[in-house]
Amino acid sequence: MPVRPAKGCNMNQDERRKYILDQLKIKSSISVSELSEAFSLSEVSVRKLLANMEQEGVLKRTWGGAVSRYGSLREFSHQENEVRHREEKKAIAAAAYDCIQDGEAVFLDSGTTTTQLARVIRSGSKRKILVGTNAINIAMELSEAEDISVIVIGGNFRHRILSCVGAYAEEMMKTLFFDKGFISANHFTVERGFSTPTLGEAELKRKILTISKEKIMLLDYTKFGDDSMVLIASPENVDILITDWHAPEELTAGFGDKGVKTIIAPQV
């Protein structure tokens, strides 16, 4: 959630516009309800402000809010993402951990939310778990837990994302099968599904879905309402979506209509 501006309802329109654009530099989306609370304005007034800003080309309105105009190719580095929406990611990781049973084989995709899940697995009570991952940092997180087996998928290393992708990674995964696969995406919409900016990441994520008996998406609320360049999967190809308490009811209802179970992680 954004920090409430000190001036609140006393801000003029230019100050409100600057606040919105500053927030969109920090995160990829912001909701009408957040801005309504921050400005002490009605949601109707906030929507009018966002509509005017969209006409000026400085942002793009979405279902329930607005997104930045970084475009479909925008990809934050792991370091940038690590500090963004940490509480939401921790809550999602805790809900994801509840889906894991003792003695299961699970795959953790690269990402800051799956990194949080790795930390819960490392310190949690469930054991005899085997974790597959294409993320070097996740393997290192689990190196301290000797009773958690780890399979590291190698390949072309992406320095900013800390993931391994490409033909070698996909070849290693051809003969592996996991009980559950936990993956992330850069954006998702009810209409089109889950997407990411790069072809290599999309191919690897699709491979994870293929080799996982149960397919689980971990996405915080800032990811919804827009598309990145490459489609990973449509909603119908995923079993469970785990998101946080900021997600609007319309979102969960929309995914439910497509047969996707949605788990809302509560605020801790």
Side-chain angles (χ1 to χ4, degrees):
M1 292 285 288
V3 177
R4 178 187 290 273
K7 296 182 181 179
C9 60
N10 295 323
M11 298 175 72
N12 60 38
Q13 285 294 84
D14 287 340
E15 289 172 326
R16 289 171 182 149
R17 287 161 52 87
K18 183 179 184 302
Y19 176 80
I20 293 169
L21 296 177
D22 285 345
Q23 287 296 309
L24 291 177
K25 290 177 183 177
I26 300 170
K27 56 186 181 179
S28 57
S29 69
I30 193 166
S31 70
V32 169
S33 60
E34 288 178 63
L35 294 173
S36 175
E37 180 181 356
F39 298 151
S40 298
L41 288 177
S42 69
E43 293 193 359
V44 172
S45 296
V46 171
R47 289 192 181 95
K48 287 180 180 178
L49 175 57
L50 294 179
N52 290 335
M53 294 177 71
E54 183 179 46
Q55 288 181 348
E56 295 168 11
V58 296
L59 56 72
K60 177 181 176 182
R61 281 193 302 163
T62 64
W63 186 8
V67 297
S68 66
R69 298 199 63 87
Y70 283 131
S72 297
L73 295 177
R74 172 66 177 180
E75 184 177 42
F76 290 101
S77 69
H78 182 88
Q79 185 176 11
E80 290 172 314
N81 269 326
E82 183 74 1
V83 297
R84 300 169 72 237
H85 317 296
R86 187 170 289 169
E87 294 308 310
E88 287 84 355
K89 292 171 182 177
K90 286 181 178 179
I92 292 169
Y97 186 65
D98 289 341
C99 298
I100 299 173
Q101 305 298 321
D102 286 314
E104 286 192 324
V106 301
F107 198 101
L108 303 189
D109 181 25
S110 63
T112 50
T113 306
T114 47
T115 298
Q116 292 292 346
L117 176 54
R119 290 168 183 163
V120 179
I121 292 173
R122 181 188 65 199
S123 59
S125 61
K126 299 171 186 177
R127 280 301 179 257
K128 297 183 180 179
I129 296 170
L130 183 145
V131 176
T133 186
N134 65 315
I136 302 302
N137 66 301
I138 287 178
M140 292 304 297
E141 290 282 353
L142 295 170
S143 65
E144 300 175 16
E146 295 186 3
D147 54 346
I148 301 293
S149 300
V150 181
I151 295 176
V152 183
I153 302 299
N156 297 333
F157 181 61
R158 301 193 66 220
H159 293 77
R160 283 171 51 82
I161 310 301
L162 306 182
S163 68
C164 294
V165 300
Y168 288 117
E170 293 172 32
E171 185 66 27
M172 287 183 67
M173 297 166 67
K174 278 185 177 179
T175 56
L176 300 174
F177 297 97
F178 292 84
D179 295 301
K180 295 179 174 73
F182 296 91
I183 75 171
S184 60
N186 292 72
H187 285 109
F188 68 107
T189 62
V190 173
E191 297 80 11
R192 286 173 289 280
F194 309 90
S195 55
T196 193
T198 63
L199 290 166
E201 289 287 343
E203 288 289 347
L204 198 284
K205 292 173 189 290
R206 281 195 289 268
K207 189 66 177 178
I208 297 169
L209 292 175
T210 300
I211 65 174
S212 300
K213 298 174 186 176
E214 192 167 18
K215 305 155 180 50
I216 304 172
M217 277 281 183
L218 308 181
L219 298 168
D220 68 74
Y221 77 105
T222 66
K223 306 290 183 65
F224 69 79
D226 199 9
D227 301 301
S228 291
M229 188 184 75
V230 188
L231 180 68
I232 300 167
S234 63
E236 294 86 351
N237 296 127
V238 172
D239 299 308
I240 299 174
L241 167 66
I242 304 180
T243 186
D244 60 77
W245 62 93
H246 297 303
E249 292 183 7
E250 295 89 346
L251 177 77
T252 58
F255 274 98
D257 292 341
K258 293 179 178 290
V260 181
K261 178 182 178 181
T262 303
I263 298 175
I264 304 298
Q267 185 173 12
V268 179

